[in-house]
Amino acid sequence: KYVKLFPEADDILDKKFKIGRALVDLGDYTAAVENLKPILNEVSLESEILVQMTIAEAYEDMGNDEKAISEWLKVLYYGRSNIPKLNITIRFRLGSICERIGMYDKSLEFFEEIVRIEGATSDFGRPAVEGINRIKERIKSIEGYKNN
């Protein structure tokens, strides 16, 4: 009601974002994306990153992994953000999605970037190394299967 009654309100973009976020939380991913995409060009850079992340999350939650990858990459390449370790977190998401859908080379790239940036023994590096090892084992087992 608020959005319809007060379309020129100072906090209208925040309200629209909250509606989109609520729709994701409720599992109505298509409606969330439809509500969030129009505000992308109207918000500040930091808000744009949050809106884009919510869109990416919606696609991922609806099982549209290819579109989710595309949307997460947009967040990754926006550049600067005040959100601590945002790019590392997104690389984890991308690595996990790529692994899930069998894009092992891309998944390895994302996990290896995390290790390169953070170090293998860091809080972020250790799970990335686990991801690398898991994928390499999976690739080995696939190659072994193909050779039989």
Side-chain angles (χ1 to χ4, degrees):
K1 274 184 166 180
Y2 182 85
V3 171
K4 289 179 183 173
L5 290 173
F6 306 104
E8 301 299 320
D10 290 341
D11 63 345
I12 197 69
L13 294 175
D14 181 56
K15 298 294 185 205
K16 288 179 178 181
F17 173 73
K18 286 180 179 175
I19 291 168
R21 177 76 252 169
L23 288 166
V24 169
D25 293 341
L26 291 169
D28 194 348
Y29 309 119
T30 302
V33 170
E34 289 170 359
N35 276 276
L36 291 168
K37 280 198 172 192
I39 66 171
L40 272 172
N41 296 326
E42 300 177 44
V43 295
S44 67
L45 175 64
E46 202 63 36
S47 294
E48 184 178 5
I49 290 169
L50 292 174
V51 171
Q52 188 63 51
M53 287 174 63
T54 307
I55 292 169
E57 182 183 336
Y59 279 116
E60 188 175 352
D61 289 347
M62 74 171 70
N64 190 339
D65 290 325
E66 288 80 10
K67 189 67 175 163
I69 290 170
S70 172
E71 299 299 324
W72 281 118
L73 284 170
K74 290 176 187 177
V75 179
L76 186 63
Y77 295 115
Y78 272 135
R80 68 187 197 287
S81 171
N82 293 328
I83 302 170
K85 303 291 183 179
L86 175 67
N87 288 347
I88 298 300
T89 303
I90 292 172
R91 282 183 173 87
F92 268 111
R93 297 287 288 256
L94 287 163
S96 297
I97 296 168
C98 288
E99 179 181 2
R100 184 171 59 240
I101 64 173
M103 294 175 60
Y104 300 125
D105 290 344
K106 290 306 281 178
S107 183
L108 280 173
E109 282 180 38
F110 288 118
F111 288 135
E112 287 169 349
E113 285 177 15
I114 294 168
V115 171
R116 184 179 46 78
I117 294 167
E118 293 293 317
T121 59
S122 70
D123 289 342
F124 293 100
R126 286 189 305 275
V129 168
E130 289 173 13
I132 291 167
N133 292 337
R134 185 177 56 249
I135 293 165
K136 286 182 176 180
E137 283 299 315
R138 187 165 291 146
I139 291 170
K140 253 193 244 182
S141 69
I142 292 169
E143 288 172 355
Y145 177 75
K146 286 180 182 177
N147 292 331
N148 286 334

